[in-house]
Each structure stands twice: as structure tokens, then as C-alpha cells.
Amino acid sequence: QTLTTEDAKALADPVAAPGVALVAPEFDSFGQVIYQSNNTNTRIVGVTPEYLDVRNMSLADGEFINANQITGKSTVAVLGSSVAQTLFQGEDPIGQTIRVNSGGNNSTQFKIIGVLNSKGGTGFGSQDDQMFVPITTAQTRLAGGGRFRGANIVSTINVQVVDSAQNDAAIQQVSDILRQKHRITYQDDFTVLSQQDILQTAETATGVF
């Protein structure tokens, strides 16, 4: 993994990337989430406050991750709707404590502060089968965290463009910044995918089925 939190900060520079509106890095892992006698294996995503807007998600109840929780590496979590239903089966999750096993003997307790509205599933999996925690907490407490070029690694950097007319320009700006940060002279060590690319892939897969 070659993307880092420092890369995300660079992409948020309005001078270097005027086509970029918001930047939301994420750190992905998987783990077993447990509440009393109920448990499920789910994707655990370390995020920043901007993630909610960049990914066009909304809260059904509670609150989302905030800046203070990022700074404090807080053990708080926001649940996707299907994870909330599996674990709590109609009981109010807000304020409850769950346990997360994320590899080896790594077990951490998290307090639930929010639940997201359902977004449904795609050919790439259900967007509701996820749990969200502060990105700093995920990087330091969950399995798989590491550093690259002196900064904490991230799995993906989500970018929202100023408007659709600047999509191509924003992709070029993002690519140029990452090439400069990574000192690339030949082959990129990252991939930039636009929402249009993802939609085309989904349509192709649907056509095959």
C-alpha cells in the first residue's frame, strides 16, 4: 500500500487541486463484531468526517465521526444498517458497546454513536454491511496498519469534484500530485477510478450475467 494520510492532505490543497471539493481517506480492514450473543463478520472502515458527504451517505440515528474523535483516536463506531440489524435485532444500538476482533488476539471495545440509512447493495457488495470508526483508531488499533514514507498508510482516498464538468481536470490534478509526492518517473504505483469507470464496469458485469 503506497497511499498515505500525507497524500490525502496534498490532494485537499485548493491551489494544487482546484477541481477537488472534498477529500476523504479511508483505511479498510475486516473483523468479527460482537454484541452479547450476536456476531457478524464485516468490513471495518476507518474514516474522516468528510466521508459521509463524499460517499453520499446519511444518518438514520445518532452522529457521525468528528474531528475530535480523529485526534483522540476514540473507540467509537457508526454502523451500517444491516450490521445494526444483525447485532441488535430492533434494539436501539446508540450508546451500546460492541467488541471487535480484527486478527490474532486483537480485541477492542467500541461505543456505538450512529447508524446509517440503508443504501442497498451492488455487484461489488452491500454498502450497508460495514462499520465505520475514526481513521486514526483503525490505523493504530486494528490489524493491518502500517507506515510508508514516514506516514500512516490508507487503503483508498475518496475525492469529490467541484462539479462534473471538471471531472477529467480533477483526475489529472490528482494524478499529477500523487506522481510528484511519490517521485514517479515511469509507472504509477496508484490507480485513479472515477464514478463513471465504476458504473461502466458494473454495466459490463450486468451484461455478462
Side-chain angles (χ1 to χ4, degrees):
Q1 292 176 290
T2 61
L3 294 175
T4 70
T5 50
E6 291 303 310
D7 292 334
K9 289 178 183 177
L11 297 182
D13 182 353
V15 175
V20 172
L22 288 173
V23 177
E26 66 179 73
F27 178 83
D28 300 335
S29 62
F30 288 87
Q32 182 187 41
V33 185
I34 303 163
Y35 175 71
Q36 295 181 358
S37 61
N38 300 324
N39 72 88
T40 184
N41 291 303
T42 191
R43 181 171 177 250
I44 303 171
V45 190
V47 298
T48 62
E50 293 78 12
Y51 188 90
L52 198 67
D53 290 329
V54 172
R55 296 302 300 268
N56 194 29
M57 292 178 166
S58 62
L59 284 162
D61 195 13
E63 59 187 34
F64 198 65
I65 309 298
N66 64 42
N68 288 335
Q69 290 158 348
I70 300 290
T71 302
K73 301 177 183 177
S74 302
T75 51
V76 295
V78 177
L79 301 181
S81 59
S82 66
V83 177
Q85 179 58 36
T86 299
L87 293 181
F88 293 94
Q89 300 181 6
E91 181 184 348
D92 184 6
I94 305 300
Q96 301 290 353
T97 299
I98 60 174
R99 183 161 50 88
V100 176
N101 297 329
S102 60
N105 296 319
N106 191 6
S107 179
T108 309
Q109 289 190 329
F110 286 83
K111 179 182 178 181
I112 306 303
I113 60 170
V115 177
L116 295 179
N117 281 311
S118 175
K119 287 201 75 174
T122 68
F124 302 99
S126 172
Q127 297 183 74
D128 302 327
D129 187 13
Q130 302 181 90
M131 169 178 147
F132 304 90
V133 302
I135 190 168
T136 49
T137 307
Q139 289 167 327
T140 55
R141 289 181 175 265
L142 302 180
R147 294 175 69 81
F148 185 72
R149 294 193 182 96
N152 288 320
I153 60 171
V154 299
S155 307
T156 302
I157 302 175
N158 301 282
V159 174
Q160 185 181 83
V161 298
V162 173
D163 62 66
S164 58
Q166 296 192 47
N167 192 61
D168 290 342
I171 289 173
Q172 189 61 54
Q173 292 158 16
V174 166
S175 299
D176 289 344
I177 290 169
L178 291 179
R179 287 177 188 132
Q180 182 180 20
K181 291 280 292 179
H182 294 194
R183 298 173 187 158
I184 289 171
T185 57
Y186 177 58
Q187 186 173 1
D188 291 345
D189 61 355
F190 60 88
T191 302
V192 180
L193 288 174
S194 72
Q195 197 154 31
Q196 291 160 327
D197 296 329
I198 296 168
L199 285 171
Q200 288 171 359
T201 302
E203 288 170 0
T204 301
T206 303
V208 170
F209 288 133

